[in-house]
Amino acid sequence: MTDPDELKIVRRSFTKQILASVGVEDHHIENAFAEVPREDFLGPGPWPMRRFGVGYVDTPNADPVYLYTDDLVGISPERHINNGEPSLHAHLLWCAHPVAGEHIVHVGAGVGYYTAIMAHLAGPSGHVTGIELETDLAARAKSNLSAYPNVKVIEGDGTKVEFEPADIIYVNAGATRPADIWLDRLKDGGRLVLPMTTDDGYSSQSRRSRPRGAVFVITREGENFAARWVSGVAIYPCAGLRDEKSEDALAKAFASGGWDRVTRLHRSDNIADDRCWLKGAGWALAYD
């Protein structure tokens, strides 16, 4: 077992590596990742690590040093639910620009690891609301986060659960459309981190493949909403926000390209088709 002081050095090195891999230089995000022990949230080891093309491979033993790589860790492998890729979350949190004192809502909190990182970013003057649909994971998150006074965990459907107006809504699951409550409860100047995925998941861009998952940051500007693409993504589906019609429309939008030119989210579908990347009932992601 790695010595606790040595593990702090490993954690700091890990943090620097993952931030560098996504071009993020932010001491607040660095400190949050470096100060939250991943092993405190994932249960006793050995841990199942997700290896693409192979499946889950257990760490050699329960030494937490094995958790400080940029890999998915299975928290419920039989359901394909993982503690997500650290570099992706570091990048998306940086895109959300969290500020001390803000209210962050974490939809799809899992077992609470990234919720704890958000709690560090919000600071003592801010607070975090974690929402988790799965009963067993919500119970684990509540236990894991019991030492964080600025965190509240709610078991329920993050597309329907009521919460106070938020500065950041960080969605940790793939939707095919935005939830009304997320847009309604976003404060002026607030940011919604919204992964949108088709049923095919995600494959890297190349001549023969195209992204089937994308993350947009939606920023409220009074009654209007700016939007920008920030990342491709592969992520567990959001159970409350998927339906065949919107998934089919999203797949067609990815096939046509142009997700990186999106600049607006409209809460109306009365937008000319040639200005829209994707349109649904009562909303559209559009270009200027």
Side-chain angles (χ1 to χ4, degrees):
M1 187 69 69
T2 304
D3 177 87
D5 290 334
E6 292 179 352
L7 197 57
K8 289 180 181 179
I9 297 171
V10 169
R11 194 179 300 122
R12 179 67 66 173
S13 175
F14 153 80
T15 299
K16 287 183 176 293
Q17 293 284 347
I18 62 167
L19 266 62
S21 73
V22 289
V24 172
E25 187 174 357
D26 185 304
H27 72 274
H28 295 297
I29 292 176
E30 179 182 327
N31 287 339
F33 272 84
E35 291 171 11
V36 177
R38 203 178 187 189
E39 63 273 16
D40 286 358
F41 295 84
L42 300 182
W47 300 276
M49 309 290 283
R50 183 75 171 88
R51 308 298 186 191
F52 288 103
V54 177
Y56 291 96
V57 178
D58 285 349
T59 58
N61 54 51
D63 189 335
V65 73
Y66 293 114
L67 296 176
Y68 293 104
T69 60
D70 195 23
D71 291 300
L72 308 177
V73 182
I75 54 178
S76 182
E78 68 281 2
R79 290 178 284 179
H80 305 287
I81 300 176
N82 305 302
N83 180 248
E85 186 179 63
S87 62
L88 173 66
H89 288 279
H91 174 63
L92 296 183
L93 285 168
W94 178 73
C95 290
H97 300 298
V99 176
E102 291 190 321
H103 176 209
I104 304 175
V105 175
H106 185 192
V107 178
V111 293
Y113 172 59
Y114 293 107
T115 316
I117 289 171
M118 293 175 202
H120 275 263
L121 293 168
S125 61
H127 62 292
V128 178
T129 301
I131 305 172
E132 174 52 48
L133 177 65
E134 301 292 337
T135 298
D136 58 328
L137 301 186
R140 288 175 64 183
K142 288 178 182 179
S143 176
N144 290 338
L145 293 162
S146 60
Y148 290 78
N150 63 340
V151 176
K152 176 183 180 181
V153 177
I154 301 171
E155 179 190 336
D157 183 343
T159 70
K160 298 174 182 176
V161 165
E162 298 286 330
F163 54 83
E164 297 174 9
D167 299 284
I168 295 174
I169 301 172
Y170 189 94
V171 181
N172 210 159
T176 57
R177 51 191 168 85
D180 285 337
I181 193 171
W182 298 342
L183 300 175
D184 291 341
R185 296 297 171 88
L186 200 62
K187 294 181 182 179
D188 192 14
R191 290 81 70 202
L192 165 64
V193 178
L194 177 63
M196 300 186 72
T197 59
T198 71
D199 290 344
D200 289 332
Y202 176 82
S203 58
S204 302
Q205 288 192 66
S206 71
R207 292 180 180 178
R208 298 186 179 182
S209 63
R210 61 181 181 272
R212 296 176 176 89
V215 183
F216 295 92
V217 174
I218 313 297
T219 302
R220 184 164 198 152
E221 300 173 337
E223 294 304 310
N224 300 314
F225 296 86
R228 63 189 178 101
W229 171 84
V230 296
S231 178
V233 72
I235 199 166
Y236 194 77
C238 182
L241 272 182
R242 302 194 71 82
D243 62 82
E244 185 175 349
K245 185 176 181 180
S246 62
E247 194 282 330
D248 182 61
L250 182 60
K252 290 177 179 177
F254 277 123
S256 67
W259 55 86
D260 56 339
R261 296 190 290 113
V262 168
T263 57
R264 289 278 156 196
L265 183 146
H266 295 278
R267 299 195 75 176
S268 168
D269 54 15
N270 189 26
I271 310 295
D273 288 345
D274 61 358
R275 289 184 54 212
C276 294
W277 177 69
L278 175 63
K279 184 187 293 189
W283 67 277
L285 283 169
Y287 317 115
D288 281 335

